[in-house]
Amino acid sequence: MNIEVTETVKDRYSSGAAKREAELCCPIDYDPKYLVVIPADVIERDYGCGDPSQYVGEGETVLDLGSGTGKICFIASQIVGVEGRVIGVDMTEDMIAVANAAAPLVAERIGYANVEFRRGEIQDLRTDLDLLDAYVRENPVSSAEDYQALQSQMARARDTEPLVADDSVDVVVSNCVLNLVDDSLKRDLFAEMFRVLKRGGRIAISDIVSDEPSPQHLKDDPELWSGCVSGALVEQEFVELLEEIGFHGITIDKWDDDPWRVVEGIEYRSMTILAWKG
């Protein structure tokens, strides 16, 4: 994935936080009883291809990767209850701004606050981008020496103040976001999910997968990549990568017979997969 595609992803989802983009999501039926308390601007700007919130339980700590405007987080917050906790991670400031504005309203309506949103990249759950920004504002980088100091500070922060700590989460969920991560970083992404899970914890990932590899010219298309198409893993590749990282009990719980998109004969469809850290 080149720099142009990376910037297109950020720009497209920043735009999607301000105005709904229908092409960024598949039709999904959520349990309506959980939607009543969620502000309309969150629901209208939600993008996904499944409902991983149905796999979380009461009292659990849930991590939502690519949480966007927070819809899955706000649904999960009602399921886990007052004893549970929900953490949303997203790299897009505009998305997090919408989520943070909605959080007090949801808390008031359900009677408790158990959701927080953190800014970071889902393939690097150690680096807190807000902490990094704060450091750079106070210590501008204008020389090689400054850059070395920044590197040292980042290394310390990743160890002492990680965005998400080791072995701290019961369930990792994600809704149509993993495919947006650069292919060269997808293994890091899966390893980070494994790292933050408690022993016995699990993942519930809804994502787009393909029936055959996407050729490079499709991967280089900014619209197809940011539209959750050409960055998709091949179905079997997804399972094999989970096995390599150390997950077990891997189960494809939902697999759409009908593809969401067909591009140059390649079928892209929604799949929900479960796996455990043993």
Side-chain angles (χ1 to χ4, degrees), residues 5-30:
V5 173
T6 303
E7 291 304 312
T8 300
V9 170
K10 291 182 179 179
D11 291 345
R12 191 167 185 183
Y13 281 84
S14 291
S15 174
K19 180 181 178 182
R20 181 171 178 79
E21 278 207 47
E23 291 186 0
L24 290 178
C25 55
C26 310
I28 309 160
D29 292 324
Y30 296 95

Side-chain angles (χ1 to χ4, degrees), residues 4 27 35 42 86-87 118 125 131 165:
E4 179 187 0
L35 303 182
V42 170
V86 181
I87 303 164
R118 304 174 184 176
L125 294 172
L131 283 181

Side-chain angles (χ1 to χ4, degrees), residues 24-151:
L24 290 178
C25 55
C26 310
I28 309 160
D29 292 324
Y30 296 95
D31 190 329
K33 70 182 180 184
Y34 296 123
L35 303 182
V36 176
V37 301
I38 302 176
D41 55 347
V42 170
I43 294 175
E44 291 167 0
R45 292 162 179 79
D46 172 69
Y47 306 107
C49 62
D51 179 15
S53 67
Q54 64 185 287
Y55 300 96
V56 309
E58 186 175 355
E60 292 186 315
T61 297
V62 178
L63 172 64
D64 182 13
L65 300 182
S67 52
T69 56
K71 182 176 179 179
I72 292 296
C73 288
F74 294 133
I75 293 174
S77 73
Q78 299 170 72
I79 299 172
V80 302
V82 68
E83 298 298 326
R85 182 184 181 200
V86 181
I87 303 164
V89 171
D90 203 279
M91 71 173 182
T92 309
E93 290 182 85
D94 293 330
M95 288 285 188
I96 288 182
V98 174
N100 278 328
L105 299 175
V106 174
E108 181 180 359
R109 292 168 183 174
I110 66 176
Y112 53 87
N114 63 353
V115 181
E116 63 176 301
F117 297 97
R118 304 174 184 176
R119 189 162 67 94
E121 296 181 326
I122 61 175
Q123 68 273 17
D124 177 13
L125 294 172
R126 290 189 183 276
T127 302
D128 185 325
L129 294 183
D130 286 334
L131 283 181
L132 177 58
D133 275 353
Y135 176 84
V136 173
R137 281 195 297 269
E138 294 181 5
N139 304 273
V141 178
S142 57
S143 68
E145 188 175 80
D146 292 341
Y147 178 70
Q148 290 173 337
L150 172 62
Q151 295 284 77

